Amino acid sequence: MAKIGINISTGSLQKEEMIVGIDLGTTNSLVAIIHPETGKPIALKEHNTSSLVPSIVHFGQNNVTVGEQAKQFLITEPQHTIFSVKRLMGKSYNDIKYNASFFTYKVIDDDTERLVKIQVGDKFYSPIELSSFILKELKERAEHILKTSIKKAVITVPAYFNDSQRQATRDAGKLAGIDVLRIINEPTAASLAYGLGIQKNEEKIIAVYDLGGGTFDVSILRIVNGIFEVLSTNGDTYLGGDDFDQAIVGFWLQQHKIVQEEYIQNKELVQRFRLTAETAKKHLSAHEKFSTDLDGKNITISKSEFEQLIQPFVIRSIECCKTALKDAALDKTDINEIIMVGGSTRVPLIKDSVSDFFGKRVHIELDPDEVVALGAAVQADILAGNNKDFLLLDVTPLSLGIETMGGLMDVLIPRNSKIPTKIARQYTTQKDGQASIRISVYQGERDLVKDNRKLGEFNFSGIPGMPAGLPKVEVSFFINADGILIIKTKELRSGIEQSIEVKPQYGLTDEEVEKMLLDSITHAENDIKVRAVTEAKTEARQIIDTTENFVQKNREYMKEEEINSVGIAIDELKEVMFTDDKDTIQKKIGILNDISRPFAERVMDAAVSFAMKGKKV
Ligand code: ADP
Ligand code: MG
């Protein structure tokens, strides 16, 4: 079988351009890339610092800071220090009113149905703007480390994010000067970072246990041939490492008999206790005991004391896992892989409890607080076209089809078809003895191929000589799990065949896809008219060809006046054929048909009886 590679690298993406992966987290955010030499994903960091940037924005007198610096003001300047803004993305005040006390800064509550605004001093900010401050900081850091400008990114969101939350995330990217090529689910990213689902012909059920700073999510995914499907999600939007810190603070207050009310008055002290508690917690992930001096007091906590404190949270998270399994109609033994995500899964008790529950080892080989960003980088690399063997797609964003007579688009695979998918359709020749057919492949929603995007074309040749309309040329479109379109053409009578491959989505950004869809709606009315006229003209040309052919071959069986009247009808049709008057064209086709039908039938009968006579019965 002949294979012809088609170069469709007309897209807007350039290979040299760096596309980064961004985990825009509730507590921490970070950027990852594929290392140009090793080909492995790595999180970006400056020398001797963490890759994590706290998702906190502080508004000072004359400047805005993001990250570790902003975190210092969390307790001392609550009205000017914005944390957990991810919780507000795409939300109205009504959505969050029961948790309003969680936000120590001012969330505006007068326009309860509209998207929330946050007031800082005399200025108002949307969660999108606040997120864009974080993204801008990440972009600048990455540019500083990589010494190149960053314009494109893949950003992750929780699997349960709805359309408006995803859109808000996209908009935040745009505001930060980033072209967001794709929004992907955090658990999907985590799986990609572990290379799960990249293999073809692989079917896996994966549980992703994500315990971050303030939120807990568990997702059950199924990966079949590179397609990720979210079977269920569960979690608790107010459960995370911050609760562990609070529990430790409570423990110390008791230890030193500090009165809660007095303690709360002293913002500086609260801040120091909180930050020390976090340090202690992290320390206990690797040691048996923590002790330090704070405010003249010796404070301590042991690993087992800590584990006792967090036991209720562990139980709550396991309950969520049970519900997620139930919703996915699965048993815990159905789970093939368990991935640990989020800084809080570093706590040994968490790892062990999850492992015990599923009865399996859990994945912790990759840094749990980097794994989502690493996966986003893997996806970015795929989109950049560097990872040619793999294209992550689950549905076709645009219709795929071929050009038929008159430049019309004949759709074989409609948009939004689930992949992999396959369809075949039959076509035939227009002329007697025609030996080849040109197959032009297009992507788009418009009726005329000239308005769509050409993916490639090829000549299907070697069709054995046959009268027009007799060859049966089957064109089949197959999109495999990698999003590669394989086109096969086969003449069914002779069995000759040919196939080609194209990558339908390569080089198209989501925005371009959206524009193509929008155009198809705007032009729909005109397109329908043009299609009708084109179809009428095509039909006219075909009937003229067939009739002229017929008359030429069968003159001897026809009367002189019949030949004349057919000639007149053909001329009249030819006269109107080049106008755009569909109705008149169709009327003239009707007249020609009416005139030629009686003698056509008579001649056919004669031909049949002639054939019969020739046969020995
Ligand atoms: P998010 O996804 O919500 O942005 P992360 O995945 O960055 O959050 O997790 C942040 C949480 O992980 C914080 O509560 C932090 O204290 C906790 N954490 C980070 N490292 C450790 C560690 N070594 N041991 C225990 N907890 C940790
Ligand atoms: Mg996270």
Side-chain angles (χ1 to χ4, degrees):
M1 207 186 323
K3 268 199 176 178
I4 307 155
I6 286 186
N7 177 14
I8 51 160
S9 54
T10 47
S12 57
L13 295 183
Q14 253 121 54
K15 246 187 97 172
E16 301 76 37
E17 209 167 9
M18 181 71 78
I19 307 177
V20 299
I22 299 179
D23 172 4
L24 184 60
T26 310
T27 318
N28 295 305
S29 301
L30 69 156
V31 182
I33 58 156
I34 298 295
H35 194 285
E37 273 137 43
T38 64
K40 296 229 154 57
I42 48 155
L44 293 180
K45 58 173 144 196
E46 307 257 22
H47 254 314
N48 294 326
T49 60
S50 162
S51 57
L52 303 182
V53 177
S55 308
I56 302 173
V57 185
H58 173 253
F59 292 86
Q61 295 272 280
N62 340 292
N63 66 339
V64 180
T65 54
V66 173
E68 212 55 62
Q69 245 180 309
K71 194 172 175 179
Q72 305 306 318
F73 297 99
L74 208 50
I75 311 284
T76 49
E77 290 186 33
Q79 303 269 336
H80 291 89
T81 313
I82 316 300
F83 64 96
S84 274
V85 67
K86 190 175 178 179
R87 293 175 185 278
L88 299 173
M89 290 292 261
K91 296 272 170 90
S92 69
Y93 188 80
N94 268 347
D95 293 330
I96 57 120
K97 64 181 171 203
Y98 296 113
N99 295 303
S101 66
F102 172 86
F103 302 96
T104 48
Y105 43 89
K106 193 160 174 41
V107 182
I108 302 299
D109 61 356
D110 41 3
D111 206 346
T112 55
E113 297 292 343
R114 300 268 297 275
L115 295 178
V116 291
K117 287 264 179 190
I118 290 103
Q119 187 175 1
V120 183
D122 53 5
K123 289 220 174 79
F124 296 86
Y125 299 95
S126 68
I128 294 173
E129 288 170 289
L130 294 166
S131 296
S132 82
F133 283 116
I134 299 169
L135 287 170
K136 218 178 282 164
E137 171 75 18
L138 294 173
K139 174 171 143 64
E140 280 164 13
R141 273 181 193 229
E143 288 176 336
H144 185 246
I145 295 167
L146 296 170
K147 314 255 177 304
T148 174
S149 91
I150 305 283
K151 295 209 176 59
K152 296 179 172 177
V154 169
I155 302 183
T156 58
V157 296
Y160 60 78
F161 254 30
N162 62 26
D163 280 348
S164 71
Q165 291 170 298
R166 284 165 201 262
Q167 190 53 47
T169 307
R170 257 179 201 291
D171 292 345
K174 203 178 285 173
L175 260 185
I178 299 170
D179 182 6
V180 182
L181 297 186
R182 193 73 71 88
I183 294 282
I184 66 167
N185 290 333
E186 287 160 13
T188 302
S191 309
L192 281 175
Y194 274 103
L196 299 172
I198 294 193
Q199 244 65 50
K200 285 170 210 164
N201 314 319
E202 181 184 45
E203 176 162 358
K204 282 227 155 91
I205 311 261
I206 298 169
V208 180
Y209 179 103
D210 181 348
L211 189 62
T215 58
F216 169 64
D217 303 311
V218 53
S219 316
I220 312 286
L221 308 179
R222 177 167 41 213
I223 311 180
V224 185
N225 296 326
I227 304 168
F228 287 80
E229 192 182 350
V230 180
L231 297 180
S232 68
T233 63
N234 206 279
D236 189 327
T237 46
Y238 290 89
L239 169 62
D242 297 345
D243 296 307
F244 302 177
D245 304 347
Q246 287 294 354
I248 295 174
V249 170
F251 176 80
W252 285 338
L253 294 183
Q254 253 187 354
Q255 197 176 49
H256 292 278
K257 311 217 164 24
I258 300 169
V259 182
Q260 184 90 25
E261 284 72 38
E262 284 170 25
Y263 158 79
I264 288 176
Q265 301 300 314
N266 188 346
K267 292 256 154 76
E268 294 273 351
L269 192 66
V270 172
Q271 171 78 339
R272 256 181 301 145
F273 260 99
R274 277 245 199 115
L275 295 178
T276 312
E278 193 184 0
T279 310
K281 173 185 72 177
K282 290 181 182 172
H283 183 82
L284 292 175
S285 289
H287 304 86
E288 290 299 316
K289 206 167 172 64
F290 173 86
S291 73
T292 191
D293 214 63
L294 203 156
D295 211 31
K297 298 179 181 74
N298 177 250
I299 56 172
T300 60
I301 186 165
S302 72
K303 189 174 169 186
S304 67
E305 284 165 332
F306 172 65
E307 289 184 343
Q308 238 179 325
L309 288 175
I310 64 166
Q311 190 61 37
F313 302 119
V314 177
I315 293 169
R316 254 163 75 192
S317 79
I318 298 293
E319 286 306 315
C320 293
C321 294
K322 287 182 188 163
T323 314
L325 281 172
K326 202 168 130 234
D327 291 347
L330 291 173
D331 189 75
K332 54 191 179 185
T333 55
D334 295 325
I335 306 294
N336 304 116
E337 316 271 351
I338 303 127
I339 299 178
M340 300 300 263
V341 177
S344 301
T345 61
R346 285 241 176 79
V347 174
L349 178 69
I350 303 280
K351 271 187 286 201
D352 297 343
S353 306
V354 176
S355 177
D356 284 349
F357 170 71
F358 284 103
K360 250 194 202 82
R361 284 196 29 201
V362 296
H363 282 290
I364 42 156
E365 305 90 293
L366 296 173
D367 235 325
D369 38 28
E370 289 183 350
V371 62
V372 167
L374 298 178
V378 171
Q379 170 71 80
D381 196 47
I382 291 166
L383 288 176
N386 295 337
N387 198 337
K388 284 261 176 355
D389 312 326
F390 187 66
L391 203 75
L392 190 74
L393 268 188
D394 39 11
V395 291
T396 56
L398 294 168
S399 301
L400 294 163
I402 65 173
E403 176 177 359
T404 55
M405 287 287 283
L408 290 178
M409 172 87 173
D410 195 24
V411 171
L412 278 97
I413 299 181
R415 66 180 292 258
N416 276 336
S417 297
K418 269 224 168 127
I419 65 165
T421 183
K422 190 177 175 171
I423 185 141
R425 194 169 292 166
Q426 277 185 25
Y427 298 89
T428 190
T429 50
Q430 302 292 335
K431 294 202 171 68
D432 289 343
Q434 186 177 334
S436 70
I437 291 186
R438 189 147 200 81
I439 309 278
S440 303
V441 185
Y442 285 86
Q443 179 179 39
E445 308 312 310
R446 302 285 299 275
D447 277 346
L448 291 177
V449 291
K450 73 172 173 57
D451 299 318
N452 289 330
R453 182 168 182 261
K454 190 176 197 165
L455 294 179
E457 67 182 356
F458 68 105
N459 227 9
F460 177 56
S461 53
I463 303 171
M466 276 184 257
L470 210 56
K472 286 186 179 170
V473 177
E474 187 186 80
V475 176
S476 67
F477 272 33
F478 170 59
I479 303 188
N480 67 16
D482 300 338
I484 310 273
L485 172 63
I486 296 155
I487 303 163
K488 274 193 194 155
T489 43
K490 185 171 183 175
E491 201 289 302
L492 298 177
R493 293 179 195 277
S494 59
I496 62 153
E497 60 180 21
Q498 207 174 345
S499 88
I500 63 154
E501 276 182 20
V502 289
K503 281 189 186 163
Q505 215 195 10
Y506 181 73
L508 274 189
T509 64
D510 285 3
E511 279 69 28
E512 287 167 309
V513 169
E514 270 161 35
K515 184 178 180 306
M516 287 174 84
L517 292 178
L518 213 65
D519 280 352
S520 76
I521 297 163
T522 333
H523 298 287
E525 201 182 332
N526 190 40
D527 276 6
I528 289 167
K529 268 191 217 141
V530 174
R531 176 177 275 272
V533 173
T534 312
E535 278 172 352
K537 286 181 183 177
T538 304
E539 195 185 340
R541 191 168 305 120
Q542 276 170 335
I543 189 168
I544 292 171
D545 277 357
T546 323
T547 317
E548 281 179 342
N549 246 330
F550 187 91
V551 172
Q552 213 178 0
K553 280 185 197 155
N554 300 291
R555 270 181 180 277
E556 49 187 308
Y557 305 107
M558 294 171 69
K559 293 178 199 136
E560 193 65 27
E561 61 202 73
E562 280 176 341
I563 294 172
N564 281 341
S565 60
V566 167
I568 292 166
I570 287 178
D571 286 345
E572 280 182 5
L573 179 55
K574 276 183 179 167
E575 246 169 65
V576 299
M577 207 174 102
F578 297 102
T579 67
D580 280 342
D581 184 352
K582 177 197 77 171
D583 294 335
T584 313
I585 299 174
Q586 269 165 352
K587 205 173 102 198
K588 298 288 181 193
I589 290 174
I591 294 172
L592 177 56
N593 258 331
D594 289 345
I595 293 175
S596 53
R597 193 176 304 117
F599 68 74
E601 279 166 6
R602 205 181 63 234
V603 171
M604 290 308 279
D605 287 347
V608 170
S609 65
F610 176 76
M612 296 296 279
K613 267 182 210 153
K615 262 191 192 147
K616 294 200 173 77
V617 190

